[in-house]
Amino acid sequence: MAENRAFTDIEYLANEFISMRAASRIAQGDSTLFDFSAKALESARNSMGWSDLCANPPIDPASIAEFASTISGEGISDLFLIGVGGTMQAAVAMATFLESQGKMPLRFHAMDSTLPSDIVNELAGVDFARSIFIVSSKSGITVDTMSIFEYVWRVVCSELGESAPSRFIAITDAGTRLEESARERGISKAFNGEDDIGGRYSALSVVGLLPFALMGIDVVELVDRCRSCEVLCGLDDPSNPAISLAAGLISLLFNGRDIMHLAVNQGSLGFGLWAAQLVCESLGKQGKGILVSVEPGFELLSEGDENGFAIIASSDPSLIGASPSVDIPHLHVPILTGTDLAMQFIIWEYAVSMIAIMLEVDPFNQPNVEAAKKAARAIWRDEISLGMRAASTASLALPCERDASQGEALAALFSMVEPGDYCAIDAFLPRTSEAIFGRLKTLRRMIFDGLDCPTCLEMGPRYLHSIGQYQKGGPNKGLFLIVSAEESEASAYGEVEKTLDNLTYAQAAGDFAALSERERRVVHVNLPRCDADALDDLLDLVAKCLP
């Protein structure tokens, strides 16, 4: 649709959604809403099963609750969820919220990092006999998920022997390689997902409900209480919260505000990551979309920011109604209960789908995510490329030469910043190291101050399945600094760990290749060591290269 003055008015936009009956047609699974292209229409035909999950759950929540109760009755201390992207984020959001409220009955481990040190740290000191490992993959062949699963499987089997399969549960579509593998290995239970529900729209399917139940959530009551929200989101009426959210976000976008600063506290951090994936992966394509920058608090907002707006998602009642430190448009999303969180899943899924209709983009595909995966697989299989990785200290920063030094490449990148741009640090470094993560936050602040533009800090490979789509498919307004490193303990690893380490590097290099192919401004720095000293050296170099 054409962007004109009318399309910046919230009331006008809400009435547009109402007149086209967008909400009720989504609720009915009407794929013709997406008939603006043949590909989008075909994609929607196979992707609308999420819109009535509470009214018509494909798997009875009572059966999920009963199964979880049986497992929990064994005395579970740790819950591991192995997956990437949409198969992870809803469970991460719920676990983060429950932990902040002191209501988490077990320890939750999000296993979506292929870095060997992250995996080793998550498994350290855990009693596997009192742990449950859920491996979740819609396709059943996702390389990140299956590589992590294979490593964890070997470790648990070596510890528990014949009883190991009883500690594993699989969630995958019917007929996948993962389902077959689960059967061959004697894994205790395999749940089938729904063919017509994509990962990022699966929060209230078995993908989310099973982990919720193991966390102590009464999923029967949760689904029952969320049913009224689902009904409300399907109404063609101004009272529909999804219509209000969609109209508000579209209005901001058409007014030139295309950067969402999603301010969170600890309890809502997981929701921020979930919303970032939903928004960026659904809308960030064809040069369109909304960038989501997840930020603890409001430390990285600029007074002169004409391109941003804030979503304040908080699980702390004292923060409800708080204003950002600068004068930009903002909206509050209170998340005070687990039910609040689940209802936000529904509201945002409906709203983002309506925004996609207005932008005429397919919300159910992720073409640039697939491009990055393809590039990573090619590098992973190329032993020559992997053998040269230590020398790959700085890669192309358009229009810098490929053989530039780190300093030259970084200086060239930073010199390209223009009004309206943002800078993303995409780090394939351990999330479990406070020393490293703290320095990455310092790097983000340094670039924010030096370039006076919005910044994002994304952790690989997680971001590849969410904001990575926007980075390559959205507007060409980003400067990208990809950081990877040689694992400090690599010499002590066995072949499986080395394979994972090589996969992580290939994912970083593959994303660089995908960004370069899209003519994005990007530098890839591969540090000689994965430690605090190497990050300190990078901080010193960046300080010298900033304008």
Side-chain angles (χ1 to χ4, degrees), residues 160-190:
L160 299 183
E162 293 182 356
S163 67
S166 68
R167 312 322 302 161
F168 286 83
I169 301 167
I171 303 176
T172 187
D173 284 2
T176 67
R177 179 69 187 94
L178 175 56
E179 183 185 46
E180 179 183 349
S181 176
R183 184 168 54 250
E184 293 171 350
R185 298 174 197 239
I187 285 176
S188 62
K189 180 72 173 179

Side-chain angles (χ1 to χ4, degrees), residues 183-205:
R183 184 168 54 250
E184 293 171 350
R185 298 174 197 239
I187 285 176
S188 62
K189 180 72 173 179
F191 286 89
N192 284 144
E194 293 76 42
D195 292 343
D196 57 354
I197 301 177
R200 59 188 176 276
Y201 289 86
S202 63
L204 294 182
S205 73

Side-chain angles (χ1 to χ4, degrees), residues 1-3 7 13-37 40-41 43-45 47-48 50-51 201 233 236 240 242-243 246-247 249-250 253-254 278-279 281-286 288-290 348-365:
M1 293 186 177
E3 296 179 25
F7 279 87
L13 288 160
N15 287 331
E16 281 289 294
F17 288 128
I18 292 170
S19 66
M20 71 173 70
R21 297 188 299 109
S24 62
R25 291 167 68 188
I26 289 174
Q28 295 161 10
D30 183 356
S31 60
T32 62
L33 279 164
F34 303 90
D35 65 357
F36 43 78
S37 79
L41 178 59
S43 177
R45 284 185 181 132
S47 306
M48 297 290 286
W50 56 272
S51 66
Y201 289 86
C233 288
D236 301 314
N240 182 337
I243 288 179
L249 296 183
I250 279 282
L253 179 60
F254 286 171
L278 179 73
V279 173
E281 199 170 33
S282 297
L283 305 179
K285 53 204 76 168
Q286 300 173 25
K288 306 173 185 178
I290 298 171
W348 282 73
E349 287 170 355
Y350 266 79
V352 168
S353 297
M354 286 189 267
I355 294 170
I357 296 165
M358 193 73 76
L359 295 181
E360 295 190 348
V361 298
D362 179 357
F364 308 117
N365 72 351

Side-chain angles (χ1 to χ4, degrees), residues 82-321:
I82 302 170
V84 295
T87 58
M88 295 289 296
Q89 295 304 342
V92 170
M94 188 62 77
T96 303
F97 172 78
L98 293 175
E99 288 168 353
S100 74
Q101 303 294 305
K103 297 179 179 178
M104 190 66 163
L106 40 69
R107 290 184 294 272
F108 177 76
H109 306 261
M111 302 287 283
D112 59 350
S113 170
T114 53
L115 281 159
S117 57
D118 276 341
I119 299 172
V120 169
N121 287 340
E122 291 288 357
L123 295 174
V126 173
D127 182 355
F128 296 152
R130 299 184 63 229
S131 300
I132 286 295
F133 300 84
I134 300 176
V135 53
S136 184
S137 171
K138 179 176 175 62
S139 68
I141 57 172
T142 306
V143 66
D144 318 48
T145 303
M146 301 309 293
S147 297
I148 299 167
F149 170 45
E150 289 295 342
Y151 179 80
V152 173
W153 174 262
R154 294 188 187 199
V155 172
V156 177
C157 284
S158 68
E159 181 78 18
L160 299 183
E162 293 182 356
S163 67
S166 68
R167 312 322 302 161
F168 286 83
I169 301 167
I171 303 176
T172 187
D173 284 2
T176 67
R177 179 69 187 94
L178 175 56
E179 183 185 46
E180 179 183 349
S181 176
R183 184 168 54 250
E184 293 171 350
R185 298 174 197 239
I187 285 176
S188 62
K189 180 72 173 179
F191 286 89
N192 284 144
E194 293 76 42
D195 292 343
D196 57 354
I197 301 177
R200 59 188 176 276
Y201 289 86
S202 63
L204 294 182
S205 73
V206 66
V207 168
L209 292 182
L210 178 58
F212 297 170
L214 290 168
M215 294 175 198
I217 296 289
D218 184 337
V219 294
V220 175
E221 180 184 4
L222 181 75
V223 170
D224 185 59
R225 295 180 66 181
C226 286
R227 193 171 295 119
S228 61
C229 180
E230 190 176 80
V231 170
L232 184 59
C233 288
L235 296 179
D236 301 314
D237 188 272
S239 64
N240 182 337
I243 288 179
S244 298
L245 178 60
L249 296 183
I250 279 282
S251 174
L252 288 162
L253 179 60
F254 286 171
N255 272 296
R257 294 188 179 271
D258 59 357
I259 299 178
M260 179 193 298
H261 300 279
L262 213 165
V264 297
N265 67 340
Q266 188 57 40
S268 60
L269 175 59
F271 168 76
L273 296 173
W274 177 87
Q277 175 174 15
L278 179 73
V279 173
C280 290
E281 199 170 33
S282 297
L283 305 179
K285 53 204 76 168
Q286 300 173 25
K288 306 173 185 178
I290 298 171
L291 172 67
V292 180
S293 175
V294 180
E295 303 175 4
F298 298 105
E299 297 178 2
L300 299 177
L301 295 180
S302 172
E303 191 67 53
D305 186 353
E306 298 180 353
N307 303 106
F309 62 95
I311 300 290
I312 305 168
S314 179
S315 61
D316 183 348
S318 68
L319 297 178
I320 303 302

Side-chain angles (χ1 to χ4, degrees), residues 358-545:
M358 193 73 76
L359 295 181
E360 295 190 348
V361 298
D362 179 357
F364 308 117
N365 72 351
Q366 48 281 329
N368 301 108
V369 173
E370 301 302 327
K373 287 181 183 178
K374 182 178 180 181
R377 285 195 296 268
I379 294 168
W380 194 29
R381 294 166 181 162
D382 186 348
E383 295 182 3
I384 295 176
S385 293
L386 290 172
M388 296 172 62
R389 56 187 280 187
S392 179
T393 54
S395 297
L396 179 68
L398 297 173
C400 183
E401 294 298 326
R402 186 174 291 271
D403 59 356
S405 69
Q406 283 187 5
E408 290 170 334
L410 289 169
L413 179 70
F414 296 146
S415 70
M416 297 176 197
V417 66
E418 297 177 357
D421 283 346
Y422 68 95
C423 183
I425 302 163
D426 296 334
F428 291 78
L429 299 173
R431 293 198 298 268
T432 52
S433 168
E434 286 296 327
I436 288 176
F437 193 67
R439 283 164 172 80
L440 288 173
K441 290 191 288 186
T442 299
L443 177 61
R444 180 184 184 184
R445 179 78 208 197
M446 184 183 297
I447 292 175
F448 171 77
D449 290 336
L451 298 184
D452 191 26
C453 73
T455 61
C456 304
L457 173 56
E458 308 299 339
M459 301 303 293
R462 173 185 288 168
Y463 82 89
L464 293 175
H465 303 270
S466 59
I467 291 175
Q469 170 61 45
Y470 176 90
Q471 290 181 353
K472 291 175 281 289
N476 192 352
K477 298 171 62 176
L479 283 71
F480 304 101
L481 173 55
I482 298 175
V483 184
S484 59
E486 299 301 300
E487 281 268 31
S488 300
E489 300 88 358
S491 60
Y493 288 158
E495 286 304 313
V496 177
E497 292 93 338
K498 288 179 181 177
T499 298
L500 284 164
D501 187 39
N502 285 339
L503 172 59
T504 303
Y505 173 81
Q507 289 170 318
D511 201 44
F512 167 78
L515 286 162
S516 297
E517 185 178 0
R518 296 286 296 168
E519 297 188 344
R520 270 31 180 178
R521 295 159 287 178
V522 56
V523 165
H524 175 198
V525 173
N526 189 48
L527 301 175
R529 303 176 313 283
C530 187
D531 58 29
D533 288 343
L535 264 293
D536 285 338
D537 290 342
L538 178 61
L539 288 171
D540 290 341
L541 183 59
V542 167
K544 295 174 182 176
C545 296

